[in-house]
């Protein structure tokens, strides 16, 4: 009940990382694009096959002087995969230990979410995705998050043509081209989330769209990955061109992130080959959980930021830039721009990583060197591991309590960003 929420809020408050005064509110009023790069891992950035960059457009964006790019940023999803990434990005709440929080609680719960928060600041919000609206229960969950619009597959012309689709939905190039049309009609400022889908296991692509050599690990489920990643990169490049032409580039903040791994740990020999190693350790597999996180804006000083963080940290980081105070919110992430960020990344599947140590698959490593360490031989590690385990248990179990107990309905703060689900209708006739 309300007491449980109070206890959790107490802990969250004590752990709060104060916003960074040199960033706070600097992006206020800008359009916000959240571009969800499906199954996109950090190792693809600047990666080459046969001397060719897999993702030249994203690489250029990553190194742009106005892009802040995080290179120690990890995915933290569990079984809910994409939906866990969305739950963290929109609410700074973790996915559940099993199943998908959006599927189980998305329709019924109260949330304090990015679209709902920005909605109260005069933003229009819209989510775009080339799959059916019901996947991951998005059609219901987005109402609870406060999305004004949800453009799912049925809103796209010729969406059912077989040649327009591959895998789970519309091909990214078609999806993003038509999305750009809708974006131009949205009232500004807007908060728009674009969820791509072509770079998804099993990495199928039609012949006409393959314009990159497959890798040659001999593992069939892995070798197409760079080809669909290359296709996603081209689609992203085209989107940026449309937006520049539409005059939406300079007055917008772009947030890009990869949702989770594309190559699972069942493919270790292939992973070793991709990384140019004889075999992979659990440290390599932990590092393989890195995904991109980039923030671009014409008035942002760019550069590679080495702060350790993960998906749970996206919301407080973005709200800092947008000038929204987060100190009273029930969130489990930390502002990555804050000088007081604790820099501990908790994996939903167990383990954690800090700038010093990594615990992954129950092995311990020196994060900087990859050297394996042993609790029994290293007092400092043993001490920190204990504290990190306790922190990980605490945030995961508190976050679970918030979701499974629907605790945010008890938040009586006057500045709680309440959403009325009944205000939203995503059926085609509503538009
Ligand atoms: C489909 C998509 C895929 O709509 O978002 O989700 P995933 O399988 O990656 O969790
Ligand atoms: Mn996904």
């Amino acid at each position: 009940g309300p007491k449980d929420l109070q206890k959790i809020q107490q802990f969250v408050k004590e752990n709060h990382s104060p916003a960074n005064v040199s960033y706070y509110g600097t992006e206020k009023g800008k359009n916000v694009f959240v571009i969800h790069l499906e199954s996109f891992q950090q190792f693809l950035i600047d990666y080459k096959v046969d001397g060719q960059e897999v993702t030249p457009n994203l690489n250029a964006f990553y190194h742009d002087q106005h892009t802040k790019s995080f290179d120690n940023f990890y995915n933290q999803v569990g079984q809910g995969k994409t939906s866990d990434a969305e739950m963290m990005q929109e609410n700074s709440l973790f996915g559940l230990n099993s199943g998908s929080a959006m599927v189980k609680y998305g329709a019924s719960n109260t949330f304090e979410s990015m679209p709902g928060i920005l909605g109260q600041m005069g933003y229009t919000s819209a989510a775009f995705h080339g799959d059916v609206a019901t996947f991951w229960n998005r059609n219901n969950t987005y109402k609870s998050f406060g999305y004004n619009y949800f453009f799912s597959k049925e809103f796209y012309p010729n969406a059912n043509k077989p040649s327009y689709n591959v895998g789970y939905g519309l091909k990214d190039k078609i999806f993003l081209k038509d999305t750009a049309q809708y974006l131009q009609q949205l009232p500004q400022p807007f908060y728009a989330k674009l969820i791509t889908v072509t770079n998804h296991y099993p990495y199928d692509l039609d012949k006409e769209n393959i314009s990159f050599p497959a890798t040659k690990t001999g593992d069939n489920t892995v070798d197409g990955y760079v080809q669909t990643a290359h296709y996603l990169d081209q689609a992203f490049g085209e989107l940026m061109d449309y937006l520049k032409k539409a005059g939406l580039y300079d007055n917008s903040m772009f947030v890009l992130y990869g949702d989770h791994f594309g190559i699972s740990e069942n493919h270790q020999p292939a992973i070793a080959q991709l990384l140019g190693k004889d075999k992979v350790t659990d440290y390599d597999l932990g590092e393989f959980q890195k995904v991109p996180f980039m923030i671009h804006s014409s008035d942002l000083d760019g550069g590679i930021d080495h702060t350790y963080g993960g998906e749970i940290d996206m919301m407080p980081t973005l709200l800092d830039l947008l000038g929204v105070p987060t100190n009273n919110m029930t969130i489990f992430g930390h502002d990555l721009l804050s000088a007081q960020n604790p820099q501990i990344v908790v994996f939903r599947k167990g383990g954690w990583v800090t700038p010093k140590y990594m615990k992954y698959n129950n092995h311990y490593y020196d994060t900087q060197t990859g050297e394996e360490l042993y609790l029994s031989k290293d007092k400092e590690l043993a001490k920190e591991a204990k504290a990190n385990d306790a922190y990980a248990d605490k945030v995961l179990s508190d976050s679970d309590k918030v979701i499974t107990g629907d605790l945010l309905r008890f938040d009586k703060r006057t500045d709680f960003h309440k959403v009325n689900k009944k205000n939203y209708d995503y059926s085609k006739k509503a538009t």
Side-chain angles (χ1 to χ4, degrees), residues 60-283:
F61 195 82
Y62 180 82
H63 293 290
D64 188 280
Q65 57 167 327
H66 297 297
T67 306
K68 211 163 184 32
S69 299
F70 292 85
D71 66 348
N72 289 311
F73 185 87
Y74 298 77
N75 89 80
Q76 297 169 289
V77 306
Q79 291 175 353
K81 304 287 291 289
T82 293
S83 66
D84 285 355
E86 290 190 55
M87 181 59 74
M88 290 186 275
Q89 187 266 320
E90 306 278 27
N91 305 286
S92 194
L93 295 171
F94 288 98
L96 300 174
N97 194 27
S98 72
S100 159
M102 274 176 40
V103 170
K104 288 190 194 162
Y105 298 95
S108 53
N109 273 22
T110 296
F111 292 98
E112 187 166 31
S113 304
M114 290 294 289
I117 293 165
L118 293 176
Q120 290 190 16
M121 296 171 59
Y123 277 74
T124 299
S125 56
F128 300 87
H129 185 49
D131 191 3
V132 292
T134 50
F135 205 95
W136 286 129
N137 199 26
R138 288 183 176 106
N139 54 328
N140 294 311
T141 305
Y142 286 174
K143 292 180 185 172
S144 308
F145 289 179
Y147 269 108
N148 296 126
Y149 301 103
F150 176 27
F151 294 92
S152 59
K153 184 169 169 168
E154 59 175 324
F155 288 82
Y156 289 78
N158 302 310
N160 288 322
K161 266 195 187 174
S163 65
Y164 277 43
N165 289 270
V166 65
Y168 283 77
L170 282 173
K171 293 176 183 171
D172 288 342
K173 285 189 184 178
I174 296 171
F175 164 65
L176 292 177
K177 186 178 186 178
D178 291 340
T179 297
Q181 298 296 317
Y182 283 124
L183 285 165
Q184 292 177 51
Q185 296 167 45
L186 278 185
Q188 298 187 39
F190 57 71
Y191 173 77
K193 174 163 77 167
L194 284 52
I195 306 171
T196 65
V197 82
T198 310
N199 187 44
H200 191 291
Y201 175 86
Y203 312 113
D204 279 336
L205 203 54
D206 53 321
K207 276 219 173 64
E208 301 90 273
N209 277 303
I210 295 179
S211 58
F212 199 80
T215 53
K216 297 181 191 72
T217 67
D219 186 330
N220 283 333
T221 51
V222 170
D223 284 334
Y225 181 54
V226 291
Q227 296 182 308
T228 49
H230 181 72
Y231 173 81
L232 168 56
D233 180 76
Q234 290 181 320
F236 167 75
E238 290 178 3
L239 173 71
M240 288 298 135
D241 289 341
Y242 301 136
L243 297 179
K244 281 175 189 163
K245 281 191 195 121
L248 286 170
Y249 189 75
D250 288 321
N251 55 351
S252 300
M253 170 167 85
F254 292 90
V255 180
L256 273 60
Y257 78 101
D259 63 342
H260 50 73
F261 58 86
I263 303 173
S264 84
E265 298 184 7
N266 303 327
H267 300 278
Q268 293 185 30
I271 295 173
Q273 284 191 56
L274 292 178
L275 300 179
K277 301 194 168 179
D278 294 335
K279 67 192 277 274
V280 288
T281 64
D282 285 308
Y283 173 76

Side-chain angles (χ1 to χ4, degrees), residues 333-404:
H334 294 269
D335 178 358
L336 295 178
L337 303 167
S338 169
Q340 285 160 65
N341 187 292
Q343 298 203 75
I344 170 166
V345 185
V346 173
F347 295 117
R348 177 76 259 194
K349 294 170 177 170
W352 36 257
V353 55
T354 71
K356 234 175 174 174
Y357 301 121
M358 177 192 285
K359 178 185 186 182
Y360 200 75
N361 288 339
N362 273 313
H363 287 91
Y364 297 88
Y365 297 92
D366 178 320
T367 303
Q368 300 307 320
T369 65
E371 184 198 346
E372 182 156 11
L373 305 171
Y374 300 90
L375 285 181
S376 55
K377 296 184 202 156
D378 190 329
K379 273 203 179 130
E380 197 201 322
L381 166 68
K383 197 175 151 223
E384 290 211 14
K386 207 174 157 195
N388 293 345
D389 282 342
Y391 177 81
D393 280 354
K394 176 75 179 154
V395 291
L396 291 173
S397 66
D398 276 2
S399 176
D400 289 351
K401 278 183 202 158
V402 169
I403 291 181
T404 60

